[in-house]
């Protein structure tokens, strides 16, 4: 799908490479980069507001940021449900009720441990992104529904 749109594929690969260079080679961490970008954004907004006051212009409009109680409760309920499902499965494994799932979990954790010992987290993440872009068969089966929906949306537009 992405190879048909060459500019998009090259763009994604370039951004992935740039992110790898920023995080791996320069020594930046995601937290330090995020805090630097937010600091720069706040500095620009502050200067913009002060310059508007000096030039006798109205202050620039800012969106009202507000989390409703309903939204917070929905997110909390969603997280609670998933954590409870995870704890239920963990309890079944610990009690020996589901041996097949136990062996699947052990195999996946062992695979993650071996791959983690061979490479660092960033390189592993970028390699997975590269594989998902270039080899559609490597994507999980659940993505086929979203891919077909995206094809339909592109066809209609």
């Amino acid at each position: 799908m992405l190879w048909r749109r060459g500019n998009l594929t090259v763009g994604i690969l370039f951004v992935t490479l740039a992110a790898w260079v920023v995080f791996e080679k320069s020594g930046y961490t995601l937290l330090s980069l995020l805090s630097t970008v937010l600091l720069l954004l706040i500095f620009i907004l502050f200067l913009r507001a002060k310059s508007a006051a000096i030039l006798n212009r109205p202050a620039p409009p800012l969106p009202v940021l507000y989390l409703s109680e309903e939204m917070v409760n929905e997110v909390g309920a969603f997280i609670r449900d998933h954590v409870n499902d995870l704890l239920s499965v963990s309890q079944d494994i610990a009690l020996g009720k589901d041996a097949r799932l136990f062996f699947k979990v052990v195999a996946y954790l062992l695979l993650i441990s071996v791959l983690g010992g061979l490479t660092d987290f960033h390189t592993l993440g970028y390699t997975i992104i590269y594989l998902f872009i270039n080899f559609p068969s490597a994507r999980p089966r659940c993505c086929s529904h979203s891919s077909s929906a995206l094809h339909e949306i592109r066809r209609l537009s």
Side-chain angles (χ1 to χ4, degrees):
M1 175 174 98
L2 288 176
W3 285 118
R4 292 183 199 143
R5 299 178 67 186
N7 292 340
L8 178 65
T9 303
V10 170
I12 290 173
L13 290 176
F14 181 73
V15 167
T16 303
L17 177 66
W20 181 76
V21 167
V22 165
F23 290 124
E24 275 301 308
K25 299 299 179 186
S26 70
Y28 255 130
T29 61
L30 182 62
L31 185 61
S32 64
L33 182 67
L34 184 65
S35 65
T36 304
V37 168
L38 287 176
L39 179 66
L40 183 63
L41 178 67
I42 288 174
F43 182 72
I44 290 171
L45 289 174
F46 178 78
L47 284 179
R48 200 170 127 199
K50 287 297 181 183
S51 65
I54 291 172
L55 298 173
N56 292 327
R57 294 190 175 163
L62 289 177
V64 177
L65 302 176
Y66 174 75
L67 287 177
S68 68
E69 186 174 345
E70 178 183 331
M71 185 187 326
V72 173
N73 288 338
E74 287 178 13
V75 170
F78 177 78
I79 292 172
R80 184 193 69 228
D81 290 341
H82 281 74
V83 168
N84 284 338
D85 290 343
L86 178 68
L87 292 175
S88 174
V89 168
S90 300
Q91 185 177 15
D92 289 346
I93 291 172
L95 294 175
K97 292 181 180 178
D98 196 353
R100 184 173 182 222
L101 183 60
F102 168 74
F103 288 117
K104 283 172 85 173
V105 169
V106 167
Y108 281 125
L109 290 176
L110 186 62
L111 179 67
I112 290 170
S113 175
V114 169
L115 289 177
L118 296 175
T119 184
D120 58 349
F121 179 74
H122 296 285
T123 304
L124 182 64
Y126 298 130
T127 304
I128 290 172
I129 289 171
Y130 178 79
L131 290 175
F132 277 176
I133 289 172
N134 291 314
F135 302 107
S137 62
R139 294 186 196 131
R141 286 185 218 127
C142 64
C143 294
S144 64
H145 300 296
S146 60
S147 294
S148 63
L150 287 173
H151 287 300
E152 186 65 25
I153 289 171
R154 285 197 185 117
R155 187 182 66 78
L156 292 175
S157 60

